[in-house]
Amino acid sequence: MAGFGWRSNRRFVAFVLAVASLHCVGPRVAGAVPKTLHGRHAHWVLRTTDLQRSIDFYSTVFGMRVLRHEENSEACPITCNGKYGTAWSKTIVGYDTEDRGFALELTFNYGVDSYPTGEALRDIAIRLKEPFLDAVTKAAELGYGPAQSNGTSSHLTGPDGYRYVLMLPPGLVGGVDDDKVKAAADTVVEPFDHVRLRVRNLARSVHFYMHFLGMSDWTEAANDRGEPSPKYMTGVAVVGYSAPSSGRSSVPLFLEESPDQDTVRVEQWEGRHAITLPASELRAVFDRLSRSSPDSVVHEMREVEEKLGRLLIAIVKDPDGLEICLVSSEVFDKAAHAADDFKLPDWNLRRSLAERRNARLTNPMKSTNEPLFNLEAMIKAHPDLYKQAQREAEEENSEVAQLQRDGEAFMAHAKELSDANQTEELLRMDWKSFEEGQEKIKKTLEAYEKEKKKVADLKDSLDPLHNAKLVPEAKGKKRRRRKARRRAATHEEL
C-alpha cells in the first residue's frame, strides 16, 4: 500500500500519543477565600545536579547573585529537597534580597545524578537589564543553546533542562536598538516577569489559586500590557497577588491549559513554589484547604520558633500536583533578609562532603540543543510500547493491503462481467462485502489523519516558541486575535 508504511501508519502515531499520555491526576477542590489576600511570590525551587555550573549560568547569563547557601546533613522532614532521603544543600540566587524580590532556590541532593523532567513547569520569564541577545551569547559560550528567538523574546534552555523566556522591558517591541533597551530596563523593578505552568483543567486551576490561595485574575492586565493576548486565547489565564510588573515580587502565574486536558505529568524536577502570607491569612487558607480539600495537603502546618518569632510553614499542592510552600511573611521576610550574606558555597567543604558520601558534585554537560519532541528518545525510553505499536502496525498494514488487493480484483472481475453484458452475474456479486472493505480502508486512513494531527499539535505544544509571544507584534492586536481564533477552531475540531 503506497504511502502507508510503518512510519506513516496510525499505529505508530498511536505509539507517540500513548507515550505522551502518561500523566498525573490531582484532586478537585471546592470552597472560597472571601477576599484577595496579601500574598507574595517568594521563590521557585529548582533541582540541580551540578551546583557550581548552575551558579555560573545564573550569574553570567542572567546577572543574578548568590543570596545565601545552606548545607543540610539530613533530608528535609517536609521534603524541601524533594522525596530524597539524603543530605542536601540549597542555594538562593536572585537580583535582590528575598524579602524584596523573587528568587530561585537551587536544591542539590547528594547522590542524585538526574531528575526526570515533568510537563507542568513550562518556563520562567525574565526581563533582563541588557539586550537579551547579549545573554544568549553568554549562554552559548557556556555551552547552552542555540536559543530560539522571534525578535521580541528569546527562549533558552539552561542547566538541568529548565527553560527561560528572555523578554524586552515593558512597552518595547522587536527591532529597537540596544540603547533604548538599556534605558527602558532601568524602569524594571522586578526582573522576574512570570512563571508559566501547564494545567489539565484551566477553570479548576484558576478556582484553586483564586479562591483558596487568594490570588486575583490579572488576565486583562497582562493583555493590556501587550502579553500574548490571553483574553482572546483559549486555555490561558494569569493569576497572582498583584498586577504584572507592578513592583517587587509581582511574578504572576501564566496558566496554560493542556490541549487534551489529560497529559500533564508532574515530577520532582518541577520543584516547589514558595508563597508568603500574613500568619492570620495563612491559617485561614490552610484551615479551608484542610476542610474542603484534604487531599491538597502534603504536610500539616508547622509552627517553628525562630530567633525572630514564630514561623508558620505548610506544604500543599494544586489540582495538578504542583507543590506550594506557604510561609508566614512576618517572620520569613526578616529571617531571609538576616540570612542573606551573598557568599558563594564553600567548594572545598562540598568536595569533602561529597567524598564522604561517595557522591558526585558534577555531571557531564548535556546539550540543550535537543527538541523536546525527540522521537528517538521516546523509542529508547519505551521499547516495549514501541515494539507493540510496530507489531500492530504491521498487522494493520497487512489487513489494509489485502482489502485493497481484494477490492482491485473485485472491480476487475466486475468490469469483465460488464464488458460481457452479463448483468445477472454482475448483480449476484457480493457488493456488500466489497463496500464494507472499502469503508474499512477509508476509516483506517481517516483515523490515521486525525491521530497524525494530534501528534502535530503535541509537537507544536512542546515547541518552546509555542504560545509564548510575550510582547506585541508590530501589526497589533487584530493579527493576534485572528491567530487565536484559528487556534481555538483547531482545538474544537480535535
Side-chain angles (χ1 to χ4, degrees):
M1 183 175 180
F4 199 66
W6 151 237
R7 278 300 176 89
S8 63
N9 185 275
R10 76 182 186 91
R11 293 295 181 181
F12 173 71
V13 172
F15 157 72
V16 176
L17 296 176
V19 173
S21 69
L22 301 175
H23 64 277
C24 174
V25 178
R28 188 174 183 86
V29 296
V33 168
K35 62 178 181 178
T36 299
L37 301 183
H38 302 87
R40 184 175 67 85
H41 304 274
H43 65 251
W44 199 285
V45 177
L46 304 178
R47 313 298 183 195
T48 176
T49 55
D50 191 324
L51 180 60
Q52 188 163 9
R53 188 166 65 212
S54 292
I55 290 176
D56 288 344
F57 174 83
Y58 292 110
S59 60
T60 303
V61 178
F62 294 155
M64 299 181 195
R65 58 177 173 169
V66 171
L67 305 182
R68 62 185 182 275
H69 175 80
E70 176 185 305
E71 293 284 343
N72 299 278
S73 59
E74 296 181 353
C76 177
I78 53 174
T79 57
C80 305
N81 63 315
K83 297 179 180 179
Y84 301 96
T86 181
W88 61 290
S89 71
K90 68 176 181 180
T91 309
I92 310 298
V93 299
Y95 296 98
D96 203 345
T97 54
E98 197 178 354
D99 60 316
R100 291 166 52 83
F102 191 76
L104 301 177
E105 178 180 309
L106 309 179
T107 299
F108 179 89
N109 286 296
Y110 287 92
V112 179
D113 297 330
S114 65
Y115 297 94
T117 57
E119 300 169 335
L121 178 58
R122 303 304 295 161
D123 50 54
I124 298 173
I126 304 173
R127 293 187 186 272
L128 300 179
K129 294 192 175 184
E130 64 176 354
F132 57 71
L133 292 181
D134 290 355
V136 168
T137 300
K138 294 174 182 177
E141 291 172 351
L142 293 178
Y144 298 96
Q148 294 179 282
S149 301
N150 60 10
T152 58
S153 60
S154 191
H155 303 256
L156 178 67
T157 300
D160 297 285
Y162 293 108
R163 297 178 290 274
Y164 300 91
V165 180
L166 311 183
M167 302 169 61
L168 292 172
L172 295 184
V173 296
V176 298
D177 58 49
D178 291 354
D179 290 338
K180 288 185 178 179
V181 172
K182 292 177 180 178
D186 291 337
T187 65
V188 176
V189 179
E190 171 59 81
F192 286 100
D193 190 81
H194 67 265
V195 177
R196 185 164 64 105
L197 305 176
R198 173 162 291 176
V199 301
R200 293 196 315 278
N201 185 305
L202 184 65
R204 179 176 60 177
S205 293
V206 169
H207 178 265
F208 174 86
Y209 282 106
M210 290 182 62
H211 296 287
F212 276 109
L213 300 191
M215 296 185 189
S216 297
D217 183 352
W218 298 105
T219 307
E220 289 287 347
N223 181 51
D224 292 341
R225 192 177 61 161
E227 303 249 327
S229 198
K231 176 181 178 182
Y232 304 105
M233 295 174 63
T234 58
V236 177
V238 181
V239 296
Y241 289 108
S242 55
S245 297
S246 63
R248 296 290 177 184
S249 285
S250 175
V251 185
L253 303 177
F254 275 38
L255 306 179
E256 174 187 274
E257 190 168 61
S258 176
D260 57 9
Q261 300 186 7
D262 199 31
T263 59
V264 178
R265 177 169 44 84
V266 177
E267 299 284 357
Q268 293 298 301
W269 174 85
E270 256 87 6
R272 179 181 283 178
H273 182 196
I275 293 172
T276 68
L277 287 164
S280 59
E281 294 183 352
L282 195 159
R283 291 183 188 277
V285 166
F286 187 78
D287 179 64
R288 187 174 296 274
L289 274 172
S290 298
R291 288 187 289 105
S292 301
S293 181
D295 289 343
S296 296
V297 176
V298 179
H299 294 289
E300 294 291 333
M301 186 167 65
R302 296 185 172 208
E303 300 188 20
V304 183
E305 292 296 337
E306 299 278 355
K307 291 180 180 179
L308 299 173
R310 178 175 294 179
L311 179 69
L312 306 184
I313 307 176
I315 311 300
V316 300
K317 62 183 178 181
D318 76 358
D320 291 289
L322 280 170
E323 292 189 4
I324 303 160
C325 176
L326 304 175
V327 295
S328 54
S329 55
E330 297 92 337
V331 176
F332 177 84
D333 288 349
K334 294 177 182 177
H337 183 83
D340 288 343
D341 56 11
F342 310 105
K343 293 182 179 179
L344 290 171
D346 185 332
W347 302 116
N348 290 328
L349 173 62
R350 286 180 59 79
R351 278 190 287 271
S352 175
L353 294 174
E355 289 173 3
R356 196 182 310 163
R357 299 180 175 100
N358 194 28
R360 293 191 304 182
L361 288 178
T362 62
N363 266 322
M365 181 71 175
K366 294 182 179 179
S367 170
T368 61
N369 188 27
E370 293 183 1
L372 296 176
F373 186 91
N374 189 323
L375 184 57
E376 287 71 21
M378 292 170 68
I379 293 172
K380 186 176 181 180
H382 303 277
D384 294 337
L385 195 58
Y386 176 78
K387 289 179 181 178
Q388 178 184 346
Q390 189 176 32
R391 185 167 53 252
E392 292 176 351
E394 291 170 352
E395 292 173 357
E396 188 172 80
N397 277 349
S398 177
E399 180 182 9
V400 171
Q402 185 60 52
L403 287 172
Q404 282 194 320
R405 287 193 295 269
D406 291 346
E408 291 169 357
F410 183 92
M411 290 305 297
H413 183 53
K415 185 176 185 303
E416 291 176 356
L417 294 177
S418 177
D419 292 343
N421 292 321
Q422 297 181 20
T423 306
E424 292 184 2
E425 290 293 329
L426 187 63
L427 293 175
R428 281 198 293 268
M429 291 181 67
D430 192 353
W431 288 95
K432 182 179 180 181
S433 295
F434 169 74
E435 291 172 355
E436 288 175 350
Q438 296 302 301
E439 183 65 21
K440 189 167 187 177
I441 293 173
K442 179 182 176 182
K443 287 183 177 179
T444 299
L445 293 174
E446 287 176 347
Y448 161 66
E449 290 297 331
K450 285 184 179 180
E451 292 187 343
K452 186 172 71 171
K453 182 66 170 61
K454 287 184 179 180
V455 168
D457 288 343
L458 173 65
K459 187 174 181 180
D460 287 343
S461 72
L462 291 175
D463 185 334
L465 289 180
H466 170 74
N467 210 15
K469 291 189 176 180
L470 301 175
V471 290
E473 298 178 9
K475 293 188 178 179
K477 291 184 178 179
K478 289 184 178 180
R479 180 180 176 184
R480 296 200 305 278
R481 292 181 190 181
R482 288 197 297 270
K483 287 186 176 180
R485 284 194 287 267
R486 287 198 296 271
R487 188 181 296 111
T490 300
H491 286 307
E492 288 176 1
E493 289 177 3
L494 293 177

